Amino acid sequence: MYLKRLKDLRTDHDLTQENIADMLKCHREVYRRYEQGIRTLPIDYLITIANYYNTSTDYLLELTDVKEPYPKKKKSYKRP
């Protein structure tokens, strides 16, 4: 799966593949393959990247054009 928005967000933030690879703790070549769709991006990396860019995973996966992340729901605990 080619994730065009990975590259778009990276270049919009003036970052290199090496910068993102360092953040993910992987090699630049591995990250390059994610950007080009040669390798499948692991879900934990997808979440890390979405949090880093303050966007939603749906935006990165091109399921929506809304960049803003979804509001986090507060957990409610029921008392016994």
Side-chain angles (χ1 to χ4, degrees), residues 17-53:
Q17 289 178 342
E18 188 74 35
N19 296 139
I20 302 303
D22 288 346
M23 188 246 324
L24 295 174
K25 296 176 179 61
C26 70
H27 294 283
R28 185 201 60 80
E29 181 62 21
V30 172
Y31 179 75
R32 181 189 69 79
R33 290 176 183 169
Y34 296 143
E35 259 190 22
Q36 292 185 342
I38 297 169
R39 292 186 67 173
T40 302
L41 184 69
I43 193 155
D44 56 327
Y45 284 4
L46 178 69
I47 293 167
T48 301
I49 292 168
N51 286 332
Y52 183 79
Y53 291 125

Side-chain angles (χ1 to χ4, degrees), residues 5 8-9 12-13 50 53-57 59-60 64-70:
R5 289 187 174 162
D8 290 346
L9 284 167
D12 288 349
H13 287 83
Y53 291 125
N54 194 34
T55 191
S56 70
T57 55
Y59 179 76
L60 292 175
T64 183
D65 289 329
V66 178
K67 280 187 174 182
E68 292 77 30
Y70 302 113

